[in-house]
Amino acid sequence: MEKPIYLKNPDDAKLFNELRKRVNHRVEKLPQNRDVYIKIKAIILPLVYFGLYLFALLNADQPWVYISSFVLMGISLVLIYLNLIHEAAHNNIFKSKKLNGFVLQIFDFVGANSYIWKKRHIAAHHAYPNVDGWDTDIEQSGLLLIVPWIKAKGIQKYQHFFFFLVYPLYLFNWMFIRDLRDFFDNERVILKTQGRIPVSEKIKMISFKLFYFFYQIAVPVLFFKVSMGLALGAWFLQVIAASIFALFVLLPLHPLPDNAFPKLDEKNGLPFSWLRHQLEVTNDLKENNWFVRNMLGNFNFHVAHHLFPNYSYMYYNEITEEIEQFAKENNLGYKRFPIFTALGKHVDLLKQNANNAYFILEE
């Protein structure tokens, strides 16, 4: 199948060139050593994760200390993703692609798969955000319906009543179902952009999954006399905590009723130019404080990331100022919501989709 084609609009191309010049000029005036803080995190955050693991093992005789350490591991896992994995995939931490690739492989040690995630993120999500059948981040699971112009069926008609039971299982699905299906299921979206996956990557994926289970579950039980119930329970709570934290950050940025889910025409064409597409399908968050900037990797400035993914998040504050001002000057649709407003909007989207509101409006 041919890949989607963005609408060719010379005026929008000129607009983006102008915006890019303004952004580049703004960034050139900023201190060029900001990325050093991400490099420091590339050392500290993995040490925190595995330090908590060792602390849990050394306190295996104290169940609540063991459990608390594993829960904190879940939180640190998300911080590793936001600050390191995501930036390494875009080669924004080091100038060397090999060093960025080394950082990216941390993902393999914490239960995910670095190879297939980078393919999903770069070749699918960034290439075609919110495009059904091409953006892996909105790939339908059968339980929850995200795309509004697909008619709800079966259990999806009740999704707004039970979604809060499904979302805490997000990373379980990612680690042990989604990764495996993307490697071995020929019907998955990723294969449209990825093509054939090397056998060596399949072996590596399975090996790391087994190793992950070995050190998370088997090592505490076999060598530190942790009961199987405690080992499984602490690990389960770790992944639950990570799932809730991750979705708290990620859900408010794309799947909202205010954002478009563009349909492809009969020639696989998209209705917007590349520039307008990014603005139509993405929103920012109003929160802008020390914690968001330094701990959450400036995910509040997500429009900047989609328009200028070659800059690290350390520059998104100033880049967003340029984008917001440029959007006002040129009547472009830039959106920004408080995080809890955005989360509420996501629930509204689930409710509208469950009730087939799109089809009612169509009729």
Side-chain angles (χ1 to χ4, degrees), residues 104 107-108 112-124 136 174 178-184 190-191 194-195 197 201 205 209:
L104 189 63
F107 225 20
D108 298 308
N113 180 265
S114 59
Y115 173 84
I116 205 68
W117 180 80
K118 184 175 180 179
K119 297 295 182 183
R120 287 188 201 123
H121 187 68
I122 304 297
T136 54
W174 182 342
R178 186 181 180 191
D179 280 350
L180 289 168
R181 290 190 66 190
D182 279 353
F183 270 91
F184 298 107
I190 188 62
L191 295 182
Q194 163 58 32
I197 297 174
E201 290 296 338
M205 183 271 292
K209 297 290 187 189

Side-chain angles (χ1 to χ4, degrees), residues 69-118:
S69 298
F70 266 70
V71 169
L72 291 174
M73 285 170 64
I75 301 300
S76 62
L77 187 160
V78 179
L79 297 181
I80 287 171
Y81 168 77
L82 295 175
N83 290 276
L84 303 181
I85 304 302
H86 186 256
E87 291 301 305
H90 290 280
N91 294 308
N92 285 340
I93 301 179
F94 300 101
K95 292 181 179 179
S96 166
K97 287 188 177 181
K98 286 186 177 180
L99 285 176
N100 285 305
F102 181 76
V103 173
L104 189 63
Q105 287 193 326
I106 296 171
F107 225 20
D108 298 308
F109 287 92
V110 295
N113 180 265
S114 59
Y115 173 84
I116 205 68
W117 180 80
K118 184 175 180 179

Side-chain angles (χ1 to χ4, degrees), residues 235-253:
W235 170 76
F236 183 80
L237 290 174
Q238 174 194 163
V239 183
I240 290 287
S243 297
I244 294 172
F245 186 24
L247 288 177
F248 187 81
V249 178
L250 300 176
L251 281 178
L253 302 174

